[in-house]
């Protein structure tokens, strides 16, 4: 069992920056690929970014590419999402998720591929 706890959400002005953190506890963190998803009111949960288990391979949704950066610190059992140049359309509840995998370079994009989820943290971007 893995527990995930997000932090760092809040209110930010358009063009500003915010860093989200997701602390994991339980089993071996580096066995998991880690993803960030977001869900705006009335909309489906959408993929934002993923980082592979070991090799640090990352993938991003086109809407955040070049603005957001996902990273992980396996020594601290934490994954981060650095959000720069935020826009009003980035407003959503952001959740981190974990999937245990044998593939060091594996990346996963669909919510149903993930086994563990955090409770989410609200990010609101003001105009």
């Amino acid at each position: 069992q893995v527990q995930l706890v997000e932090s760092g959400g809040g209110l930010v002005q358009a063009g500003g920056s915010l860093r989200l953190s997701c602390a994991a506890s339980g089993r071996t963190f580096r066995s998991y690929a880690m993803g960030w998803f977001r869900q705006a009111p009335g909309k489906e949960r959408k993929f934002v970014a993923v980082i592979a288990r070991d090799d640090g391979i990352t993938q991003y949704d086109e809407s955040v590419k070049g603005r957001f950066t996902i990273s992980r610190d396996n020594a601290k059992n934490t994954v981060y999402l650095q959000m720069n140049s935020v826009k009003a359309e980035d407003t959503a509840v952001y959740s981190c998720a974990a999937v245990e995998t044998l593939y060091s370079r594996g990346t996963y994009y669909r919510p149903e591929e993930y086994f563990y989820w955090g409770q989410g943290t609200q990010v609101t971007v003001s105009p």
Side-chain angles (χ1 to χ4, degrees):
Q1 191 76 16
V2 174
Q3 292 81 42
L4 303 174
V5 179
E6 301 96 336
S7 61
L11 179 64
V12 59
Q13 286 189 330
S17 298
L18 206 60
R19 190 176 81 156
L20 306 183
S21 300
C22 173
S25 62
R27 299 177 65 182
T28 307
F29 179 68
R30 67 181 306 150
S31 297
Y32 293 83
M34 301 296 297
W36 283 98
F37 290 78
R38 65 186 180 185
Q39 187 169 19
K43 296 188 177 181
E44 292 185 350
R45 180 178 282 170
K46 290 190 62 178
F47 166 77
V48 175
V50 60
I51 186 165
R53 192 191 77 178
D54 290 333
D55 288 354
I57 293 172
T58 59
Q59 299 289 344
Y60 299 90
D61 183 76
E62 285 296 325
S63 64
V64 306
K65 196 173 291 185
R67 299 189 297 122
F68 291 9
T69 302
I70 188 172
S71 61
R72 65 190 297 161
D73 185 337
N74 287 339
K76 295 183 178 180
N77 284 9
T78 302
V79 62
Y80 304 97
L81 185 69
Q82 178 67 44
M83 305 168 62
N84 297 331
S85 302
V86 295
K87 305 175 182 179
E89 51 263 44
D90 294 323
T91 294
V93 175
Y94 285 72
S95 299
C96 67
V99 54
E100 190 171 17
T101 176
L102 296 176
Y103 301 104
S104 62
R105 300 168 65 87
T107 51
Y108 306 89
Y109 309 96
R110 297 178 298 159
E112 54 266 34
E113 295 182 288
Y114 288 80
F115 293 119
Y116 303 104
W117 291 84
Q119 82 288 351
T121 186
Q122 176 70 46
V123 172
T124 302
V125 181
S126 61

